[in-house]
Amino acid sequence: MGQPHFIIFANEKGGTGKSTTAVHTAVALAASGYKVAALDLDERQRTMTRYLENRSATIKREGVTLPQASYAVLEGRTVEEFEAAVDQLASNANVIIIDTPGRDDDIAKAAILKADTLVTPMNDSFVDLDLIGQVDPDTYKITRPSFYAELIWNSRQRRAQATGKSVDWVVLRNRLQHIDSHNLRRVGAALDELARRVGYRVIPGLSERVVYRELFPKGLTLLDLEHMSDVQIGHVTARQELREMISGLDVPPLNSSATLVA
């Protein structure tokens, strides 16, 4: 099928909504006609895999047709086994989504090197911002990029040298609060300042909503409102957030007339 587009979700901090965002991205792209394969590198927690397994079970149990990605868990622990798993998925996919574990290891680094789109979800706080940049405690200005930002920078340089391709690094502001605050503005200003130095884009992600936790047992996403009972205005608002997030990822279309569905 040609070279697939790799979307890598990576963040060494837990609790940023990484797997939930990866699942929603996979399903949204599948709904748009892409053949999507999802590879879960966290062989212990398997959050993305469990979500997609629940979705497959719902499709079978309720006899409904839902857009779905193929999925696999990396059982191996070597880079060679990772490469073999990717090759197998690439034979029948034009988008591969990889959910990396919240740790720094050789397989996660190998995944980052494959990224066409590298997505780093983060909560809107200085605790999460510390992953990519250190902040002056008085001025809230960025003092220097963090180790993780330097890791990504080096990986992008290596990929450019090896393949001639650039990497679109996207920092996803998940769990944004619905009210304005000094913290919100300060984090936003620091992110924008650091973006100019290390070259990522900032886009809004998914807000903190109970609905995301409710969707997991059936493997449903915000694309599946017609299969849910008691749909409320919050569900519709959250679906619009999803639409904006998918659009912001700027995944190359299958053809010139393709339109992303969310």
Side-chain angles (χ1 to χ4, degrees):
M1 297 188 65
Q3 178 67 19
H5 185 88
F6 284 86
I7 306 176
I8 313 301
F9 285 81
N11 189 325
E12 292 180 11
K13 288 184 179 290
T16 60
K18 179 166 56 66
S19 297
T20 298
T21 309
V23 168
H24 275 74
T25 301
V27 172
L29 294 178
S32 298
Y34 294 85
K35 293 187 70 67
V36 181
L39 181 61
D40 194 337
L41 301 189
D42 193 338
E43 76 284 357
R44 294 184 63 185
Q45 294 200 19
R46 304 185 180 212
T47 303
M48 182 175 70
T49 301
R50 290 288 300 121
Y51 205 127
L52 292 172
E53 285 175 343
N54 291 346
R55 187 171 182 84
S56 292
T58 294
I59 292 170
K60 182 178 180 180
R61 181 180 62 252
E62 300 185 7
V64 295
T65 300
L66 299 173
Q68 175 66 311
S70 61
Y71 52 91
V73 180
L74 180 66
E75 301 287 356
R77 296 181 178 272
T78 68
V79 172
E80 291 74 20
E81 289 170 309
F82 164 72
E83 295 288 354
V86 167
D87 288 343
Q88 184 173 1
L89 292 174
S91 64
N92 193 37
N94 42 42
V95 172
I96 294 180
I97 292 178
I98 299 179
D99 188 15
T100 65
R103 61 177 182 267
D104 177 21
D105 60 22
D106 289 341
I107 294 176
K109 290 177 181 176
I112 290 170
L113 280 173
K114 288 190 173 296
D116 297 299
T117 303
L118 176 65
V119 184
T120 301
M122 59 166 282
N123 297 324
D124 225 44
S125 72
F126 283 107
V127 174
D128 278 25
L129 177 61
D130 189 65
L131 175 78
I132 56 177
Q134 297 177 14
V135 177
D136 183 279
D138 296 316
T139 66
Y140 298 100
K141 298 288 186 181
I142 295 291
T143 57
R144 64 182 302 273
S146 71
F147 172 81
Y148 184 76
E150 292 172 354
L151 169 67
I152 300 302
W153 175 270
N154 292 332
S155 296
R156 295 166 77 191
Q157 294 294 103
R158 289 174 58 190
R159 178 176 167 82
Q161 292 170 0
T163 67
K165 295 181 179 180
S166 60
V167 179
D168 183 18
W169 186 13
V170 179
V171 171
L172 194 68
R173 292 179 74 180
N174 268 346
R175 295 176 176 157
L176 282 166
Q177 300 300 311
H178 301 295
I179 58 174
D180 192 19
S181 67
H182 288 300
N183 179 74
L184 193 71
R185 293 194 297 272
R186 285 168 175 167
V187 171
L191 277 171
D192 291 342
E193 178 188 348
L194 186 57
R196 292 190 290 270
R197 295 173 62 174
V198 300
Y200 56 74
R201 297 189 294 118
V202 182
I203 67 172
L206 306 180
S207 298
E208 177 62 43
R209 295 181 184 275
V210 175
V211 61
Y212 294 109
R213 294 188 287 275
E214 295 174 340
L215 294 173
F216 177 83
K218 288 188 175 183
L220 296 178
T221 72
L222 291 167
L223 299 179
D224 308 311
L225 296 188
E226 67 273 21
H227 299 284
M228 301 178 199
S229 59
D230 193 28
V231 174
Q232 301 177 10
I233 187 63
H235 293 77
V236 178
T237 303
R239 184 173 62 178
Q240 181 59 31
E241 292 173 353
L242 173 62
R243 288 190 176 119
E244 294 172 0
M245 183 197 79
I246 297 298
S247 177
L249 290 178
D250 199 21
V251 179
L254 290 168
N255 55 63
S256 59
S257 61
T259 301
L260 286 177
V261 176

